[in-house]
Amino acid sequence: MWQWVLLIGALICAISLFLILRPAQLPGLLDRVFGSRWLYAAALVRLLLGAALIAAAPGVAFPGAVELCGWLFVLGGLGLVVIPAPLLRRIADWFSALSPLATRLWLILALSFGLFLVYAALA
């Protein structure tokens, strides 16, 4: 099951690296997700990724941390469905309005998280 953690970590790293290199793509991506029914697909993906992390946690180097990340993914997925759309839209607009430097700093944090998952799976 550690392969799931490796795959999720690699996916997060790839998306983060792509957006670090092209931070101008982030506002369009946020508009596409938060301005349509793709929001429910994003919520489902977060729920599934969280469930995969929770299920795979016993087979990795830091099971408590990976399980906690899985539960945070699940809560985030539920939050996308429960939080009112205007509030989600304001949050997305705030991220869209960030400078390229601030966007890259957030994405470096996401890249670090992905690298942690890769390390946890391979250690």
Side-chain angles (χ1 to χ4, degrees):
M1 291 285 276
W2 60 269
Q3 295 93 341
W4 285 108
V5 177
L6 179 64
L7 181 65
I8 293 167
L11 180 66
I12 291 171
C13 287
I15 292 169
S16 298
L17 282 174
F18 174 77
L19 290 172
I20 286 171
L21 296 174
R22 297 177 181 211
Q25 298 285 337
L26 186 62
L29 178 65
L30 291 174
D31 286 339
R32 198 172 318 146
V33 171
F34 287 96
S36 68
R37 293 189 179 163
W38 281 105
L39 180 64
Y40 297 111
L44 179 63
V45 167
R46 289 190 78 164
L47 288 169
L48 293 174
L49 290 177
L53 287 175
I54 293 166
V60 299
F62 305 101
V66 172
E67 184 177 355
L68 175 65
C69 292
W71 283 111
L72 291 174
F73 265 72
V74 168
L75 287 174
L78 292 174
L80 287 177
V81 177
V82 174
I83 295 174
L87 180 58
L88 284 175
R89 187 71 223 164
R90 279 193 284 162
I91 295 169
D93 290 342
W94 181 81
F95 271 102
S96 295
L98 290 175
S99 69
L101 177 63
T103 301
R104 284 187 173 112
L105 289 173
W106 276 104
L107 290 167
I108 288 171
L109 186 64
L111 177 64
S112 301
F113 174 66
L115 289 172
F116 165 73
L117 290 178
V118 169
Y119 178 73
L122 296 177

